[in-house]
Each structure stands twice: as structure tokens, then as C-alpha cells.
Amino acid sequence: PVGLNRIIASGISSLHSQFNSAIDTLKSNSGTYPVSNESSAQGRPETRDLVARGMHNSTASSLCTKPGTREIGDVEEYPIYKWVDDQGQTHYSDRRPTDSPVSRVDQVANSQLFRFNLERRNANLPPTYEGYIKASGTKIYDFYESWLGREALEQSQIQLLVFGQNAEFERYRAQHAPSLKSSSGFYTHRKNLAVINHSQSIEQTQKTSVHEIGHLITAAHLGAIPAWLTEGLSEYFEDIDPTALATPVRPAPRRKAHLRKLQAKGTLANLDHYLSADRDQFYGQEIQQHYLAAWSLLHMMMSTDKGQKVISSLLKEQRDNFCKPFDARARLYSLYPGGYSGLSMDWVTWVSK
């Protein structure tokens, strides 16, 4: 697999001692590639297993774990059927008609960004749901291509499990993610699976689904990253309009209005307070403010050319330092024009507009 080959080629520390156990794990769970349990810069094991919408926590996964990926040139073949109806009109479809003679005209693209699997459990999803998620996934890949370059793209396996009944979702969550308290969905890094609760509106289900596959695609390219960064990215992806071709991603007005209220009340902390939080703090008592801060920071940076360049540089360095101690917060401050002061001032100005 591409992910394992890249890990081997990079000469990760302690690979020899971990290799046999990695192979055993691959045989039992092909979705992840555990390599080592390297400590973070603070000397503590950095862990990431389950990332949940609403209440995310870290459990016992390694900093050096990424979902399995393929080359984007590894393309699946899809059958394309061609037929002529009674009026002489020619049709093409990936579904074989039952009332007309057909011929197969299989077409194979030269690249494929992701493979897609959707499992429904008593979930009455509209026919447009799958297309919405695939289109959103393609747009997420557009961002990663602009940030990392096309040569760095990896084909991910988007796996969605959607429950239509809250009780079934809760039973699954209690069995597979007992430490989480999410009521709408979560992403399990270990299984590389996005689990969604569809006991909500279809609009919210779609947003939750895009948020979770954002985690999945991010993990495929970067591995484990700080909470403020992975959540900021997925929160930003939620605002994607997959039906708009060239429209920029616009921040949800109600969320920005909430930030302004916090700012007016004097209860909005400084930016470093949010970015310096560890995972327990990020998903703790101030979780809503942490989400808002991460969301707003990504939107602010993506709204300017200089911010986009900083994000691109930061994510490239995060990727290049996979399985190594890397202080993304400190690097962000050093990359941004004017350092932390410039970043904080631009963020406060963006919030107040």
C-alpha cells in the first residue's frame, strides 16, 4: 500500500522494532497503518483515535497512524451502458435498463480522488444525498490540491455509516466509541469510518457528513494534527456549497454573529488561548468557543492571499513532519506576516466586520 511504502521510505525511527507488529495489524485491520508511538514535543505520547462531532476525544491511537491510501492513478472501472430508446434518442447510464437492448461502453478516467462506500441502517436518505457528499468530497480535494500540489494527493477510502434511528446510533457509539458523547456523528481514525446520526434534518445530516469526511481526507494526507487545525479545516469544509462552481466558501452568518456577541461582551478570549489548548481543553468546558475560534481562523486566513499562502506552507510542513514532533501553532505564528500580533489583529478585525 502507498501509505506503508511512504512510511518505509521515510526511515521513521523505531521502524524495525515496529514492523512485524504493523504487518500483523494490517492483516487484521487494513484501514490504518500504525508505525510507532513517538512522543510529542512536550514529552507526552500524542494520541488520536476517535474524532467526534460535538464531543471529540483522544484515546489510544498513535501519532504515527494514517488511514490506508492508494495512488490517485489507481482507478476503479465503472460499467457505462448505452442504448437507444423508441424515439431514437441515445442514452448513457451506469444503470442497465431492463426494457431496452444495451451495449457497454466502459470509460476509465486517468485518476480517482477517492473511493466511496455508503451503508444505510434504517436511514431514509434522499436520492441527492450521495451526490452531495461526493461533490463536497471533490471540493475538499480541490483545496488539498491547491495547498499541497497534485503530486501529493492520495486516494482515500470514504466510508460512511448512516443511522436513521437515534437509538441504533447510540448503541453503535456506545460499543465502538464509548468515550464520546456526540449526538450527531463522529469519525473513527482506527476504522477510517464516518458514522452519522440521521435523526435530524437532511441539511444538518449533510453538513455533519461533510465535516466527518473532512476529517477522513485530512487524516489520509496529514495524519494526526492538532485539534484546532483538524476542527478548523472540517468546520470550514462544512460551509462548502457543492453546487457552486467557483463561488468562494462563505462563513455562516449566524456563527459570525455569535462571535461578535462574545466580542461585545468581552468574553471572547485572545486567539492564543484557543490555539494553545490541548485536546482535553479543546473538547472541554469551552468546546463551543474553541470550535468557533478554529472555524473563524480558517475562514479569516482563506479570505486573503497571504492567509492562503500561510495555510499552504503550514500544511505542507505538517505533512512533511508526519510522525515527528511538530509545533503547528508556533510555526503558524512564525509563518504569518507580523507574527502572532499580526495574526491576532487580523483575526479580531475579521470577527468585528
Side-chain angles (χ1 to χ4, degrees):
V2 174
L4 184 56
N5 289 338
R6 180 166 297 169
I7 290 170
I8 294 172
S10 66
I12 295 171
S13 62
S14 75
L15 176 61
H16 295 293
S17 63
Q18 297 290 330
F19 186 80
N20 290 332
S21 61
I23 294 300
D24 292 337
T25 307
L26 283 171
K27 291 177 181 178
S28 62
N29 183 3
S30 60
T32 58
Y33 293 85
V35 182
S36 71
N37 193 24
E38 198 167 29
S39 296
S40 70
Q42 290 76 25
R44 293 176 293 124
E46 183 71 17
T47 60
R48 178 168 180 258
D49 183 33
L50 297 165
V51 181
R53 176 82 171 127
M55 288 294 289
H56 299 215
N57 276 315
S58 304
T59 54
S61 180
S62 170
L63 172 67
C64 299
T65 300
K66 284 176 68 176
T69 59
R70 295 181 172 91
E71 299 273 4
I72 62 172
D74 185 357
V75 179
E76 294 175 293
E77 292 188 17
Y78 293 96
I80 304 296
Y81 298 101
K82 174 184 177 181
W83 74 95
V84 179
D85 64 21
D86 295 338
Q87 285 72 44
Q89 297 293 318
T90 301
H91 300 267
Y92 294 89
S93 176
D94 60 351
R95 295 185 179 182
R96 185 187 186 103
T98 58
D99 56 353
S100 301
V102 300
S103 60
R104 280 186 60 163
V105 188
D106 292 351
Q107 297 179 351
V108 180
N110 58 13
S111 65
Q112 182 176 348
L113 299 174
F114 54 81
R115 303 191 180 203
F116 187 87
N117 180 63
L118 170 62
E119 181 182 350
R120 303 172 179 86
R121 295 193 186 178
N122 296 314
N124 184 22
L125 297 168
T128 56
Y129 172 81
E130 184 170 335
Y132 183 98
I133 302 306
K134 287 181 177 179
S136 298
T138 300
K139 286 216 166 191
I140 293 173
Y141 264 90
D142 287 343
F143 282 112
Y144 272 103
E145 181 173 356
S146 70
W147 293 330
L148 304 180
R150 189 165 183 83
E151 69 282 356
L153 295 184
E154 308 221 24
Q155 183 189 109
S156 60
Q157 177 70 48
I158 294 180
Q159 301 183 104
L160 276 167
L161 173 58
V162 183
F163 288 91
Q165 298 179 4
N166 183 65
E168 291 184 354
F169 171 83
E170 288 299 331
R171 280 195 295 270
Y172 187 92
R173 182 195 58 75
Q175 181 179 358
H176 297 279
S179 65
L180 305 179
K181 305 300 180 184
S182 172
S183 61
S184 55
F186 61 89
Y187 166 61
T188 163
H189 189 86
R190 180 173 56 84
K191 292 178 175 291
N192 193 41
L193 176 68
V195 184
I196 310 299
N197 184 0
H198 181 44
S199 60
Q200 52 191 333
S201 70
I202 183 57
E203 290 79 15
Q204 187 55 51
T205 293
Q206 288 176 163
K207 282 187 172 293
T208 302
S209 301
V210 172
H211 181 104
E212 302 306 341
I213 70 167
H215 283 308
L216 186 154
I217 294 171
T218 294
H221 289 88
L222 305 177
I225 60 177
W228 64 265
L229 185 53
T230 186
E231 297 302 344
L233 289 167
S234 277
E235 291 285 285
Y236 180 80
F237 296 148
E238 267 195 45
D239 290 332
I240 288 175
D241 180 359
T243 64
L245 295 177
T247 304
V249 178
R250 292 192 171 89
R254 61 179 179 79
R255 304 191 77 183
K256 196 167 185 182
H258 186 49
L259 272 174
R260 287 200 200 98
K261 288 182 180 179
L262 294 175
Q263 189 180 54
K265 292 179 180 178
T267 56
L268 186 66
N270 64 65
L271 185 61
D272 188 66
H273 170 80
Y274 299 117
L275 301 190
S276 60
D278 62 24
R279 288 189 174 272
D280 289 338
Q281 292 168 336
F282 189 98
Y283 302 119
Q285 293 182 348
E286 295 183 318
I287 182 171
Q288 297 303 328
Q289 287 197 28
H290 282 296
Y291 267 91
L292 282 170
W295 166 85
S296 60
L297 178 63
L298 262 293
H299 267 289
M300 183 276 288
M301 295 180 69
M302 287 298 293
S303 68
T304 65
D305 289 339
K306 68 177 180 180
Q308 291 178 31
K309 290 177 182 178
V310 170
I311 291 177
S312 177
S313 297
L314 180 66
L315 296 185
K316 285 177 181 176
E317 293 189 26
Q318 182 78 63
R319 176 202 62 194
D320 294 342
N321 283 278
F322 168 68
C323 202
K324 301 174 185 176
F326 180 70
D327 191 338
R329 176 178 63 104
R331 190 63 184 128
L332 171 63
Y333 295 167
S334 64
L335 286 169
Y336 200 86
Y340 171 70
S341 295
L343 178 68
S344 177
M345 184 178 300
D346 287 348
W347 177 66
V348 170
T349 302
W350 184 90
V351 170
S352 63
K353 287 183 178 178

